Amino acid sequence: MQGVNHVGGNPVTGQVSRIRLTADGSAGVLDKVITSTNFQTPATAAKLGNKLAVVNAKFDTGFPPTADTYEVVVTNS
């Protein structure tokens, strides 16, 4: 398939799934599941070359989140 990768965090499983989309974005297939012991609640990610920067959300601290610090985990993509 030609197209772009879509990366999405799953706060329930603590993993990030990389989906390869078709050129028109109408369908996709699971390309890779990315895990890290440093993922707590991965919420969003950005690809930086061959690395992936993943933000740990703080959903467990209430709404709105009340955490004093937030982490960005960098891992291989």
Side-chain angles (χ1 to χ4, degrees):
M1 286 183 189
Q2 304 237 350
V4 297
N5 283 333
H6 172 76
V7 181
N10 186 328
V12 175
T13 61
Q15 64 189 25
V16 174
S17 297
R18 186 171 72 195
I19 309 296
R20 182 160 302 275
L21 300 175
T22 58
D24 66 0
S26 64
V29 63
L30 180 62
D31 188 51
K32 183 177 182 181
V33 175
I34 302 164
T35 60
S36 170
T37 57
N38 294 317
F39 290 165
Q40 293 171 332
T41 311
T44 192
K47 193 163 187 315
L48 308 168
N50 65 346
K51 299 288 184 184
L52 190 66
V54 180
V55 177
N56 276 325
K58 297 298 180 175
F59 299 133
D60 60 338
T61 66
F63 186 80
T66 58
D68 293 328
T69 60
Y70 293 82
E71 305 84 37
V72 175
V73 177
V74 178
T75 187
N76 290 327
S77 64

